[in-house]
């Protein structure tokens, strides 16, 4: 399946993101209520960027929420850390290929959007063994914390190393 990746820029793009999030909110967190999902969306949009993943009919099948922060984790459009807050992909479309393709496109966007980025960081639920194994290939687990409902790990990798890894995987496919 060929997918497209789109950085949300228009009200229509953000509406597509919000509708997809609401519909798939239980993939974000098992027991999230509709009001909590709406509050999350409202808190996310001012400081974050959203990359939608679209299927061949231009329908959203996933998104990545990311932002730029300083080493002190303060919001900064020129921050040296690209922090991926969350990623959701519709279960019927999940595959290693789609995940790595989306991650590659995200890294390319970040490289073009903010040349000051030195690091990439992301949280993953401790129970997601596949993602923990994948992230450990190009990043280091730097912390553990209790999330809203489950333990989370934070990974950090050199942005150049992440790009290099994703490029090498892409060439193999």
């Amino acid at each position: 399946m060929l997918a497209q990746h789109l950085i949300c820029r228009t009200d229509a793009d953000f509406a597509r993101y919000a509708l997809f999030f609401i519909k798939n909110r239980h993939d974000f967190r098992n027991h999230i209520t509709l009001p909590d999902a709406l509050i999350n969306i409202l808190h996310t949009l001012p400081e974050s960027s959203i990359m939608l993943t679209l299927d061949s009919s231009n329908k959203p099948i996933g998104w990545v929420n990311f932002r730029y922060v300083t080493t002190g984790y303060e919001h900064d459009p020129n921050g040296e850390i690209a922090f991926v807050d969350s990623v959701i992909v519709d279960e019927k479309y999940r595959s290693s290929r789609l995940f790595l393709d989306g991650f590659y496109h995200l890294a390319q966007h970040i490289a073009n959007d903010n040349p000051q980025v030195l690091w990439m960081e992301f949280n993953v639920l401790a129970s997601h063994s596949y993602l923990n194994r994948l992230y450990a290939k190009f990043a280091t687990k730097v912390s553990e914390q209790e999330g809203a409902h489950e333990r989370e790990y934070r990974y950090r990798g050199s942005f150049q190393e992440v790009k290099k890894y994703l490029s090498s995987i892409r060439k193999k496919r």
Side-chain angles (χ1 to χ4, degrees):
M1 181 200 109
L2 294 175
Q4 301 173 53
H5 305 283
L6 165 82
I7 300 297
C8 291
R9 301 205 190 281
T10 68
D11 288 345
D13 294 339
F14 289 112
R16 291 167 73 186
Y17 154 72
L19 290 172
F20 182 83
F21 186 151
I22 290 165
K23 179 181 172 196
N24 297 279
R25 69 185 180 272
H26 297 291
D27 288 336
F28 177 71
R29 193 176 326 134
N30 281 334
H31 305 290
I32 191 170
T33 64
L34 178 59
D36 286 341
L38 293 171
I39 289 169
N40 184 286
I41 291 167
L42 291 173
H43 284 284
T44 296
L45 292 179
E47 294 183 351
S48 296
S49 295
I50 308 295
M51 183 179 82
L52 284 177
T53 301
L54 309 170
D55 68 9
S56 57
S57 63
N58 223 23
K59 177 184 145 207
I61 59 169
W63 53 262
V64 177
N65 167 349
F66 66 100
R67 58 195 163 101
Y68 302 118
V69 296
T70 65
T71 56
Y73 295 97
E74 297 294 324
H75 171 69
D76 182 348
N78 299 309
E80 55 271 20
I81 300 171
F83 189 86
V84 177
D85 280 311
S86 53
V87 178
I88 301 295
V89 176
D90 187 311
E91 188 172 7
K92 65 184 167 203
Y93 295 98
R94 290 179 192 162
S95 71
S96 296
R97 184 179 185 125
L98 180 66
F99 177 83
L100 291 167
D101 185 60
F103 207 175
Y104 172 83
H105 279 87
L106 176 63
Q108 294 304 312
H109 169 76
I110 290 169
N112 292 327
D113 189 49
N114 183 359
Q116 287 84 313
V117 168
L118 301 174
W119 303 99
M120 192 162 207
E121 293 189 13
F122 24 87
N123 288 340
V124 63
L125 296 176
S127 64
H128 282 257
S129 57
Y130 168 76
L131 290 177
N132 280 285
R133 280 192 313 272
L134 178 65
Y135 290 158
K137 291 179 180 182
F138 55 83
T140 303
K141 184 168 59 169
V142 293
S143 69
E144 297 182 26
Q145 62 271 349
E146 284 304 319
H149 297 282
E150 184 178 335
R151 191 147 200 74
E152 296 176 352
Y153 301 144
R154 178 169 294 171
Y155 286 85
R156 180 182 225 199
S158 152
F159 186 59
Q160 293 305 317
E161 289 300 314
V162 170
K163 284 189 338 182
K164 183 177 169 184
Y165 175 80
L166 294 169
S167 292
S168 73
I169 293 295
R170 189 172 170 91
K171 287 177 185 175
K172 292 178 185 177
R173 293 186 183 256

